Amino acid sequence: MELDFKYLVSRRRLLRAGACLVSTAVMGSRLSLASEVDEHELNATHGRASLAGADAPWTPVWAYDGMVPGPTLRVQQGRPVRISVVNALDESTTVHWHGIRLPNAMDGVPGLTQAPIKPGESFTYEFTPPDAGTFWYHPHADSLQQIGRGLAGALVVEEADPIVVDRDLLWTLQDWRLTKDGQIAPGFGSMMDAAMSGRVGNIVTINGAPPGDQTVRAGERVRLRLVNAALARMMALRFEGHRPIIVAIDGQPCEPREPQGGRIVLAPAMRIDVVLDLQGDPGSRHAVTDDFYDGLAYTLTSFVYSSEPPLRANPLDAPVRLPANPLPIPNLADAVRQEIVLQGGMMGGGKLKGVGGMVGMAMPGMNGGPAWAINGMSMTGDGHAGMAPLFTLQRGASCRLTMRNETAWWHPMHIHGFSLSLLARNGESVPHGQWQDTVLLAPKDTLECAFVADNPGDWMLHCHVTDHQMAGLMTVFRVT
Ligand code: C2O
Ligand code: CU
Ligand code: CU
């Protein structure tokens, strides 16, 4: 592992480590490096889940440790982790640690960074997360089926000095296309899904269950970590009667601020951390809605206040700004410029309303062929050996990357191994010091971002609407 990330070790952390030393000394054991490694095991296997409510039939799923979502892995910033993944599925898999800046060999892309893990085999991932924040993990093999059948979980990297909140909540949002009898609908990779908005489902779950009411108490402050682990469904959440403050996007802290128009836009693979001061009246009820798609708004869940008296009279008087992560700052004056252009897809509207518009048009993606391209080239699938890089960057160089969406569709573009500093959207500078590994482009958007190519290897850059990735909206770049 050659990465050279630096951290500020907090005082609290040193104290904690000190306390630890004392107790191990008492127990007479030796403090070895191994004991400093956080060990986990994950089993990719079959399971069943109750996705549509107690009265509905169980749904057979593919799941980590048989659970939907997979177990939430909580690890410490700067502390080595070792996660052994056992493949108990009937097909090959890998695990990708989405958003974590880690060594290339641990990135989980079959063919490109590792051999696929065959059924009955295992692979041990080892890395030291440099950044604190909300991340997630998912397979990068047969991705449409494997993610679509339930393989996904949250990965929380804890700050040494977290902000003060009463509760730290996590919502892993998943979207399912179920048949009437509760089975996962067949037809993964259909040409309609591939060339349009992707496989958007008909059931959204929070933490693997149909979202019932969320019980809260007046006066409390919560940190809510939102993870969109859907294959394709974009979400735009509104918290009625509340003013959420965004404190991090894709794990990376930003200047705390309210979302534009009170709407938290969360595309597939994105994470947003918000701080919520629950200032409603005891006994009151407030909907959380998702209105991303025109005319298809629905109530996701509701905050239901208990009748207890408020925990405190006024909102907690404590800062909500998260400690910065050790991201390398690009040197824009001396940056290499690269441009990627997103092409293809059907020419409908961007918000699911173009569905009728396809009649009589030639279908890109016909017969499973590519429906999308980046700079005129379609890389399809999940990753495989011999993918030639679109461009090569010298290690340490700053890169100014322009992404131009020539299509009529939304694309959450995801970069492996790095986080992107957002500079400008459609010519207007992006405020709030935002870094993201997954950036959402609206139809016809142009986005400028930058990053330091400090991490060697062949890295993927693709749309995280999984059908789009599979059908050609993917590329590879190299850092040498
Ligand atoms: Cu979260 Cu290449 O993916
Ligand atoms: Cu990723
Ligand atoms: Cu896309």
Side-chain angles (χ1 to χ4, degrees):
M1 189 187 302
E2 273 190 306
L3 294 184
D4 183 24
F5 295 113
K6 298 186 177 61
Y7 322 101
L8 294 169
V9 177
S10 78
R11 210 176 106 74
R12 202 198 293 185
R13 181 148 190 166
L14 283 174
L15 289 174
R16 220 189 271 151
C20 194
L21 259 173
V22 172
S23 58
T24 15
V26 169
M27 285 159 59
S29 57
R30 207 158 44 92
L31 188 69
S32 67
L33 197 66
S35 69
E36 285 295 300
V37 176
D38 196 353
E39 310 248 8
H40 297 268
E41 191 182 292
L42 281 178
N43 274 276
T45 184
H46 298 265
R48 43 183 214 138
S50 175
L51 302 175
D55 306 330
W58 288 80
T59 307
V61 293
W62 299 358
Y64 293 112
D65 292 359
M67 292 159 56
V68 163
T72 298
L73 301 177
R74 286 190 179 265
V75 302
Q76 295 288 319
Q77 181 177 22
R79 182 178 179 199
V81 281
R82 187 181 296 142
I83 307 164
S84 125
V85 173
V86 181
N87 183 4
L89 301 170
D90 304 321
E91 60 178 50
S92 294
T93 193
T94 61
V95 178
H96 172 61
W97 313 95
H98 183 117
I100 304 280
R101 298 186 294 134
L102 41 59
N104 190 257
M106 298 294 126
D107 199 41
V109 181
L112 197 67
T113 71
Q114 70 168 99
I117 313 168
K118 298 209 183 83
E121 293 184 352
S122 69
F123 184 88
T124 301
Y125 293 90
E126 290 183 90
F127 55 89
T128 302
D131 303 320
T134 307
F135 300 91
W136 69 297
Y137 60 93
H138 62 77
H140 221 288
D142 192 13
S143 304
L144 257 174
Q145 283 217 67
Q146 292 193 11
I147 300 173
R149 290 187 184 278
L151 288 162
L155 171 57
V156 173
V157 183
E158 283 167 346
E159 298 94 12
D161 284 305
I163 52 172
V164 180
V165 294
D166 297 304
R167 284 194 292 158
D168 190 317
L169 300 179
L170 169 74
W171 290 359
T172 301
L173 299 156
Q174 286 167 293
D175 177 42
W176 311 83
R177 192 181 284 181
L178 297 186
T179 60
K180 283 201 188 65
D181 55 349
Q183 307 296 297
I184 289 175
F188 284 96
S190 86
M191 132 189 111
M192 277 262 288
D193 289 337
M196 301 211 280
S197 49
R199 184 178 159 108
V200 175
N202 50 10
I203 295 239
V204 176
T205 54
I206 295 182
N207 301 336
D213 294 341
Q214 316 286 322
T215 307
V216 297
R217 177 167 180 192
E220 67 173 341
R221 169 173 288 180
V222 300
R223 173 178 183 169
L224 175 58
R225 301 170 187 264
L226 301 165
V227 180
N228 184 343
L231 285 177
R233 180 184 285 277
M234 315 272 168
M235 299 180 192
L237 304 185
R238 288 179 190 280
F239 292 82
E240 279 175 16
H242 292 81
R243 303 179 68 176
I245 304 291
I246 296 180
V247 295
I249 303 184
D250 289 351
Q252 303 297 350
C254 61
E255 247 170 63
R257 63 160 201 284
E258 288 190 47
Q260 233 182 26
R263 202 165 175 254
I264 297 170
V265 179
L266 194 69
M270 284 183 67
R271 292 86 62 213
I272 294 186
D273 288 33
V274 297
V275 169
L276 272 163
D277 280 315
L278 295 155
Q279 294 293 305
D281 296 328
S284 65
R285 188 185 180 90
H286 306 262
V288 179
T289 58
D290 169 9
D291 66 358
F292 184 87
Y293 300 106
D294 277 351
L296 297 175
Y298 63 99
T299 297
L300 173 67
T301 180
S302 296
F303 283 145
V304 175
Y305 281 72
S306 70
S307 54
E308 293 162 282
L311 191 62
R312 53 178 71 81
N314 297 307
L316 193 64
D317 182 22
V320 296
R321 192 188 191 108
L322 293 165
N325 281 326
L327 291 156
I329 308 296
N331 175 1
L332 296 181
D334 188 25
V336 182
R337 281 182 184 266
Q338 295 292 343
E339 183 177 65
I340 63 166
V341 183
L342 317 183
Q343 300 151 327
M346 294 296 299
M347 296 308 290
K351 287 186 159 192
L352 269 194
K353 45 183 162 184
V355 176
M358 51 166 283
V359 182
M361 293 171 71
M363 285 292 278
M366 190 97 76
N367 308 320
W372 308 90
I374 291 181
N375 295 8
M377 194 165 69
S378 300
M379 279 188 192
T380 54
D382 305 278
H384 45 83
M387 291 175 120
L390 180 68
F391 57 86
T392 298
L393 300 168
Q394 293 305 309
R395 188 173 174 187
S398 291
C399 176
R400 191 171 177 141
L401 180 65
T402 304
M403 298 192 213
R404 236 167 11 95
N405 181 7
E406 285 187 345
T407 80
W409 302 90
W410 294 79
H411 304 290
M413 294 300 296
H414 169 54
I415 190 167
H416 284 217
F418 302 87
S419 190
L420 300 170
S421 162
L422 269 63
L423 304 176
R425 189 184 290 272
N426 303 325
E428 275 181 47
S429 74
V430 177
H432 312 300
Q434 243 166 258
W435 294 79
Q436 293 176 218
D437 56 65
T438 308
V439 291
L440 181 59
L441 279 86
K444 310 299 175 192
D445 260 9
T446 297
L447 197 66
E448 291 232 25
C449 34
F451 66 103
V452 178
D454 60 348
N455 198 351
D458 283 357
W459 301 100
M460 277 206 159
L461 178 57
H462 63 82
C463 178
H464 225 291
V465 169
T466 317
D467 314 71
H468 294 180
Q469 174 205 320
M470 304 299 282
L473 210 44
M474 170 162 71
T475 193
V476 168
F477 67 97
R478 177 170 292 165
V479 177
T480 54

